[in-house]
Amino acid sequence: MERRSDGREGSAEKGRRWSSLIFLAWFLFGMGVSASTAIAVAPIGVECPETVHIGEPFRLRVRLPAVSKPKTLRVAWLGISLDVELRCRGGDCEGEILLGTEVGKAKPGTQTLRLVADVEGEKVVLQRKIAVRAKHYPETRLSLPEKMVTPPKDVLERIAREREQVLKARKTFTARRYWTLPLQRPVPGVVTSPYGGRRILNDKPRAPHGGVDFRAASGTPVKAAVEGMVILTGEHYYAGKSVYIDSGNGMISLYMHLSEIAVKEGDLVRRGQVLGKSGMTGRATGPHLHFGLCLGGQLVDPQSLFDER
């Protein structure tokens, strides 16, 4: 039977982005056992923000003391359930994951973050309400060859097939965590088109921009922003030559419009390793790199996660 524990928010330290919540779970073993004989499970520390804005990533940290003997930890957010790798050191076990909401899909309101841990053979469920706030993103107007805005019928099957491949890659959820922060910039160029802008292509409204465009002359080496496993490569109608990397716990990074690809599916790449060269393949008005970051199936704005030194 599932046992439930609800947490109450503690006082937040002024100026800190993260709020720290500590939950104390008690369990009664057997019917009619009095509270005085209940076994106390050590506090489970949960650190996450109270409020997030649409498109912005946020970090969730969970601490389970070793006395609790945790076996598994799962996080449910926006209809997706993710396994979180637990790392034990110095008596405590910790897990962390990056989550977010996607512009064009998420709406302002309150969302529930749900944690499920296996502690001492019992299923502990913790819930946290997070306020999702609206955020303004600028509009972008572009002129493109009409076939890249309204594709001809003879490529529709190809586009549908590629869309399925990309959706499958974006929904790759592996428990082992390769990622660390900050992310490395994949190219040194400035941002030419930020995340989230509503796209008007040839005067036709389209979905908001799901990534960040960096200026990059053709042939510029494109480096992995984060360590992980290459799960998809290919040349797609819209994205051109692309690479998708799974860094675990629901983090997928995307590199698009390449002129060359230097890795293959199944490769384990290091942070900073060259994946290929920039170009303007697919739907592009000039050479650049489109970098995307998907967290738990949600395309988010990665800029706050880069090392900008």
Side-chain angles (χ1 to χ4, degrees), residues 113 143 164 180 240 261 268:
L113 180 67
S143 294
E164 288 300 314
T180 57
I261 296 175
L268 179 62

Side-chain angles (χ1 to χ4, degrees), residues 231-250:
I231 56 172
L232 178 65
T233 64
E235 184 164 8
H236 298 157
Y237 184 81
Y238 286 126
K241 292 182 179 180
S242 306
V243 174
Y244 291 71
I245 296 176
D246 171 24
S247 295
N249 285 174

Side-chain angles (χ1 to χ4, degrees), residues 1-4 27 114 116-119 121-125:
M1 182 174 70
E2 188 174 90
R3 311 294 179 93
R4 190 180 193 84
F27 301 98
R114 190 171 185 263
V116 181
D118 183 345
V119 179
E122 296 285 338
K123 186 184 288 186
V124 184
V125 180

Side-chain angles (χ1 to χ4, degrees), residues 19-233:
S19 64
S20 182
L21 303 178
I22 303 296
F23 297 91
L24 182 60
W26 291 84
F27 301 98
L28 297 179
F29 292 87
M31 295 297 292
V33 177
S34 67
S36 63
T37 60
I39 297 178
V41 177
I44 299 175
V46 180
E47 200 175 86
C48 65
E50 301 172 342
T51 302
V52 300
H53 288 87
I54 291 175
E56 293 181 351
F58 66 92
R59 190 190 320 216
L60 167 70
R61 289 190 180 100
V62 181
R63 179 181 59 80
L64 298 101
V67 68
S68 301
K69 297 181 181 177
K71 291 183 179 179
T72 61
L73 176 65
R74 290 182 68 81
V75 173
W77 173 249
L78 299 180
I80 297 294
S81 184
L82 300 165
D83 289 314
V84 179
E85 182 182 45
L86 290 169
R87 297 182 178 180
C88 299
R89 183 183 301 172
D92 289 344
C93 293
E94 296 183 348
E96 60 180 310
I97 189 170
L98 289 171
L99 299 168
T101 54
E102 183 172 338
V103 65
K105 292 184 178 180
K107 298 186 184 219
T110 301
Q111 295 290 341
T112 300
L113 180 67
R114 190 171 185 263
L115 309 176
V116 181
D118 183 345
V119 179
E120 300 283 5
E122 296 285 338
K123 186 184 288 186
V124 184
V125 180
L126 308 175
Q127 291 192 155
R128 172 77 166 102
K129 298 293 185 181
I130 296 180
V132 178
R133 305 296 188 204
K135 183 174 180 177
H136 172 72
Y137 291 101
E139 183 178 277
T140 302
R141 290 181 174 269
L142 295 172
S143 294
L144 295 165
E146 188 58 33
K147 67 179 182 178
M148 285 297 178
V149 180
T150 306
K153 291 182 180 180
D154 60 355
V155 299
L156 294 181
E157 184 178 340
R158 172 191 172 185
I159 291 172
R161 182 174 64 253
E162 292 170 353
R163 182 180 294 115
E164 288 300 314
Q165 292 173 344
V166 168
L167 287 175
K168 181 180 178 181
R170 285 177 50 181
K171 292 181 178 179
T172 300
F173 306 136
T174 52
R176 181 175 179 182
R177 175 166 62 88
Y178 292 101
W179 63 265
T180 57
L181 294 181
L183 304 182
Q184 178 172 324
R185 261 176 166 258
V187 292
V190 299
V191 173
T192 57
S193 182
Y195 170 93
R198 182 170 177 249
R199 290 300 184 88
I200 308 296
L201 307 181
N202 296 359
D203 295 324
K204 299 180 179 67
R206 291 294 186 265
H209 194 213
V212 174
D213 289 347
F214 291 98
R215 180 173 294 153
S218 289
T220 301
V222 174
K223 298 179 180 180
V226 60
E227 183 177 346
M229 188 77 67
V230 179
I231 56 172
L232 178 65
T233 64

